[in-house]
Short mmCIF file of all heavy atoms in Angstrom, two decimals:
data_model
loop_
_atom_site.label_atom_id
_atom_site.label_comp_id
_atom_site.label_asym_id
_atom_site.label_seq_id
_atom_site.Cartn_x
_atom_site.Cartn_y
_atom_site.Cartn_z
N LEU B 40 11.49 9.93 14.97
CA LEU B 40 11.13 8.81 14.10
C LEU B 40 9.64 8.80 13.75
O LEU B 40 9.13 7.86 13.19
CB LEU B 40 11.50 7.48 14.76
CG LEU B 40 12.98 7.23 15.02
CD1 LEU B 40 13.19 5.84 15.60
CD2 LEU B 40 13.78 7.38 13.74
N GLY B 41 8.95 9.88 14.13
CA GLY B 41 7.50 9.91 13.90
C GLY B 41 7.09 10.51 12.57
O GLY B 41 5.93 10.87 12.38
N VAL B 42 8.04 10.60 11.62
CA VAL B 42 7.73 11.23 10.33
C VAL B 42 6.52 10.59 9.66
O VAL B 42 5.61 11.28 9.19
CB VAL B 42 8.96 11.16 9.38
CG1 VAL B 42 8.64 11.83 8.06
CG2 VAL B 42 10.16 11.81 10.03
N GLU B 43 6.51 9.26 9.65
CA GLU B 43 5.40 8.55 9.00
C GLU B 43 4.05 8.94 9.63
O GLU B 43 3.07 9.17 8.93
CB GLU B 43 5.64 7.04 9.12
CG GLU B 43 4.57 6.17 8.54
CD GLU B 43 4.73 5.95 7.03
OE1 GLU B 43 5.73 6.41 6.46
OE2 GLU B 43 3.83 5.35 6.45
N GLY B 44 4.04 9.03 10.95
CA GLY B 44 2.80 9.38 11.65
C GLY B 44 2.36 10.80 11.35
O GLY B 44 1.18 11.07 11.14
N MET B 45 3.33 11.72 11.31
CA MET B 45 2.97 13.12 11.02
C MET B 45 2.52 13.26 9.57
O MET B 45 1.63 14.04 9.26
CB MET B 45 4.17 14.02 11.30
CG MET B 45 4.63 13.95 12.76
SD MET B 45 5.94 15.09 13.18
CE MET B 45 7.27 14.54 12.13
N MET B 46 3.13 12.47 8.68
CA MET B 46 2.71 12.54 7.28
C MET B 46 1.27 12.08 7.11
O MET B 46 0.48 12.72 6.41
CB MET B 46 3.61 11.63 6.41
CG MET B 46 4.96 12.21 6.14
SD MET B 46 5.87 11.23 4.93
CE MET B 46 5.33 12.02 3.41
N ILE B 47 0.94 10.97 7.75
CA ILE B 47 -0.41 10.44 7.52
C ILE B 47 -1.45 11.36 8.17
O ILE B 47 -2.55 11.54 7.64
CB ILE B 47 -0.53 8.97 8.01
CG1 ILE B 47 -1.82 8.32 7.53
CG2 ILE B 47 -0.42 8.85 9.50
CD1 ILE B 47 -1.68 7.57 6.29
N ILE B 48 -1.09 11.98 9.30
CA ILE B 48 -2.01 12.96 9.89
C ILE B 48 -2.18 14.15 8.96
O ILE B 48 -3.28 14.66 8.73
CB ILE B 48 -1.47 13.42 11.27
CG1 ILE B 48 -1.69 12.32 12.31
CG2 ILE B 48 -2.14 14.70 11.72
CD1 ILE B 48 -3.14 12.10 12.69
N GLY B 49 -1.07 14.59 8.38
CA GLY B 49 -1.16 15.67 7.39
C GLY B 49 -2.02 15.26 6.21
O GLY B 49 -2.82 16.04 5.69
N ALA B 50 -1.87 14.00 5.79
CA ALA B 50 -2.63 13.52 4.64
C ALA B 50 -4.13 13.61 4.91
O ALA B 50 -4.89 14.07 4.06
CB ALA B 50 -2.24 12.08 4.29
N ILE B 51 -4.56 13.18 6.10
CA ILE B 51 -6.00 13.21 6.35
C ILE B 51 -6.48 14.61 6.71
O ILE B 51 -7.55 15.04 6.27
CB ILE B 51 -6.43 12.17 7.43
CG1 ILE B 51 -7.95 12.16 7.60
CG2 ILE B 51 -5.76 12.40 8.76
CD1 ILE B 51 -8.74 11.91 6.35
N CYS B 52 -5.70 15.38 7.50
CA CYS B 52 -6.12 16.75 7.83
C CYS B 52 -6.26 17.56 6.55
O CYS B 52 -7.27 18.25 6.33
CB CYS B 52 -5.10 17.43 8.74
SG CYS B 52 -5.15 16.84 10.42
N GLY B 53 -5.26 17.49 5.70
CA GLY B 53 -5.30 18.23 4.45
C GLY B 53 -6.47 17.80 3.59
O GLY B 53 -7.19 18.63 3.03
N PHE B 54 -6.68 16.48 3.53
CA PHE B 54 -7.75 15.96 2.70
C PHE B 54 -9.11 16.43 3.21
O PHE B 54 -9.93 16.94 2.46
CB PHE B 54 -7.69 14.43 2.68
CG PHE B 54 -8.60 13.79 1.68
CD1 PHE B 54 -8.17 13.63 0.38
CD2 PHE B 54 -9.87 13.38 2.03
CE1 PHE B 54 -9.01 13.05 -0.56
CE2 PHE B 54 -10.71 12.80 1.10
CZ PHE B 54 -10.28 12.63 -0.20
N ALA B 55 -9.32 16.27 4.52
CA ALA B 55 -10.62 16.62 5.10
C ALA B 55 -10.91 18.10 4.92
O ALA B 55 -12.00 18.49 4.48
CB ALA B 55 -10.64 16.23 6.57
N VAL B 56 -9.92 18.94 5.23
CA VAL B 56 -10.16 20.38 5.14
C VAL B 56 -10.34 20.80 3.68
O VAL B 56 -11.21 21.64 3.36
CB VAL B 56 -9.02 21.15 5.82
CG1 VAL B 56 -9.14 22.64 5.54
CG2 VAL B 56 -9.03 20.88 7.31
N ALA B 57 -9.57 20.21 2.77
CA ALA B 57 -9.73 20.55 1.36
C ALA B 57 -11.13 20.18 0.88
O ALA B 57 -11.76 20.93 0.14
CB ALA B 57 -8.66 19.86 0.53
N VAL B 58 -11.61 19.02 1.31
CA VAL B 58 -12.94 18.59 0.88
C VAL B 58 -14.01 19.52 1.46
O VAL B 58 -14.92 19.98 0.76
CB VAL B 58 -13.22 17.13 1.31
CG1 VAL B 58 -14.68 16.78 1.15
CG2 VAL B 58 -12.36 16.18 0.47
N GLU B 59 -13.88 19.83 2.76
CA GLU B 59 -14.91 20.66 3.41
C GLU B 59 -14.90 22.09 2.89
O GLU B 59 -15.94 22.70 2.73
CB GLU B 59 -14.71 20.66 4.94
CG GLU B 59 -14.80 19.28 5.60
CD GLU B 59 -16.13 18.58 5.36
OE1 GLU B 59 -17.12 19.26 5.07
OE2 GLU B 59 -16.17 17.33 5.43
N SER B 60 -13.69 22.62 2.67
CA SER B 60 -13.61 24.03 2.27
C SER B 60 -13.63 24.19 0.76
O SER B 60 -13.85 25.28 0.25
CB SER B 60 -12.34 24.65 2.84
OG SER B 60 -11.22 24.12 2.16
N GLY B 61 -13.36 23.12 0.05
CA GLY B 61 -13.31 23.21 -1.41
C GLY B 61 -12.03 23.82 -1.93
O GLY B 61 -11.88 24.04 -3.12
N SER B 62 -11.08 24.09 -1.03
CA SER B 62 -9.85 24.73 -1.48
C SER B 62 -8.64 23.89 -1.11
O SER B 62 -8.35 23.68 0.07
CB SER B 62 -9.73 26.11 -0.82
OG SER B 62 -8.37 26.48 -0.74
N PRO B 63 -7.90 23.40 -2.10
CA PRO B 63 -6.72 22.58 -1.79
C PRO B 63 -5.64 23.38 -1.04
O PRO B 63 -4.90 22.80 -0.24
CB PRO B 63 -6.23 22.12 -3.15
CG PRO B 63 -6.99 22.84 -4.17
CD PRO B 63 -8.17 23.48 -3.53
N VAL B 64 -5.57 24.69 -1.30
CA VAL B 64 -4.54 25.48 -0.61
C VAL B 64 -4.83 25.49 0.89
O VAL B 64 -3.93 25.27 1.72
CB VAL B 64 -4.50 26.91 -1.17
CG1 VAL B 64 -3.50 27.75 -0.41
CG2 VAL B 64 -4.16 26.87 -2.65
N THR B 65 -6.10 25.72 1.26
CA THR B 65 -6.48 25.66 2.67
C THR B 65 -6.14 24.28 3.22
O THR B 65 -5.70 24.13 4.36
CB THR B 65 -8.00 25.91 2.84
OG1 THR B 65 -8.37 26.94 1.94
CG2 THR B 65 -8.34 26.28 4.25
N GLY B 66 -6.36 23.26 2.40
CA GLY B 66 -6.04 21.90 2.81
C GLY B 66 -4.57 21.77 3.18
O GLY B 66 -4.23 21.17 4.21
N PHE B 67 -3.69 22.30 2.36
CA PHE B 67 -2.26 22.20 2.65
C PHE B 67 -1.89 22.95 3.92
O PHE B 67 -1.05 22.50 4.70
CB PHE B 67 -1.43 22.69 1.46
CG PHE B 67 -1.17 21.60 0.47
CD1 PHE B 67 -1.94 21.48 -0.67
CD2 PHE B 67 -0.17 20.67 0.70
CE1 PHE B 67 -1.73 20.45 -1.57
CE2 PHE B 67 0.06 19.65 -0.20
CZ PHE B 67 -0.72 19.53 -1.33
N VAL B 68 -2.53 24.11 4.13
CA VAL B 68 -2.26 24.85 5.37
C VAL B 68 -2.69 23.99 6.56
O VAL B 68 -1.96 23.86 7.56
CB VAL B 68 -3.01 26.20 5.35
CG1 VAL B 68 -2.88 26.90 6.69
CG2 VAL B 68 -2.49 27.07 4.22
N ALA B 69 -3.87 23.38 6.45
CA ALA B 69 -4.37 22.54 7.53
C ALA B 69 -3.46 21.34 7.75
O ALA B 69 -3.24 20.90 8.88
CB ALA B 69 -5.79 22.07 7.22
N ALA B 70 -2.93 20.79 6.65
CA ALA B 70 -2.04 19.64 6.77
C ALA B 70 -0.79 20.02 7.54
O ALA B 70 -0.32 19.28 8.43
CB ALA B 70 -1.66 19.14 5.38
N ALA B 71 -0.24 21.21 7.23
CA ALA B 71 0.95 21.68 7.94
C ALA B 71 0.62 21.87 9.42
O ALA B 71 1.38 21.47 10.31
CB ALA B 71 1.46 22.98 7.32
N ALA B 72 -0.55 22.44 9.69
CA ALA B 72 -0.96 22.67 11.07
C ALA B 72 -1.14 21.33 11.79
O ALA B 72 -0.67 21.16 12.93
CB ALA B 72 -2.26 23.47 11.10
N GLY B 73 -1.79 20.39 11.12
CA GLY B 73 -2.02 19.08 11.73
C GLY B 73 -0.72 18.38 12.08
O GLY B 73 -0.55 17.86 13.19
N GLY B 74 0.22 18.39 11.13
CA GLY B 74 1.52 17.77 11.38
C GLY B 74 2.24 18.45 12.53
O GLY B 74 2.85 17.80 13.39
N ALA B 75 2.16 19.79 12.57
CA ALA B 75 2.86 20.53 13.61
C ALA B 75 2.24 20.25 14.98
O ALA B 75 2.96 20.10 15.98
CB ALA B 75 2.80 22.03 13.30
N VAL B 76 0.91 20.17 15.03
CA VAL B 76 0.25 19.90 16.32
C VAL B 76 0.64 18.52 16.83
O VAL B 76 0.97 18.33 18.01
CB VAL B 76 -1.29 20.02 16.17
CG1 VAL B 76 -1.99 19.45 17.39
CG2 VAL B 76 -1.68 21.47 15.96
N LEU B 77 0.66 17.54 15.92
CA LEU B 77 1.03 16.19 16.35
C LEU B 77 2.48 16.18 16.84
O LEU B 77 2.82 15.53 17.83
CB LEU B 77 0.85 15.19 15.21
CG LEU B 77 1.03 13.74 15.63
CD1 LEU B 77 -0.12 13.29 16.51
CD2 LEU B 77 1.14 12.81 14.43
#
Side-chain angles (χ1 to χ4, degrees):
Chain B
L40 296 183
V42 181
E43 178 84 4
M45 300 185 297
M46 284 189 89
I47 191 94
I48 285 290
I51 184 56
C52 286
F54 190 86
V56 171
V58 167
E59 300 301 338
S60 70
S62 154
V64 177
T65 320
F67 273 99
V68 173
V76 167
L77 188 70

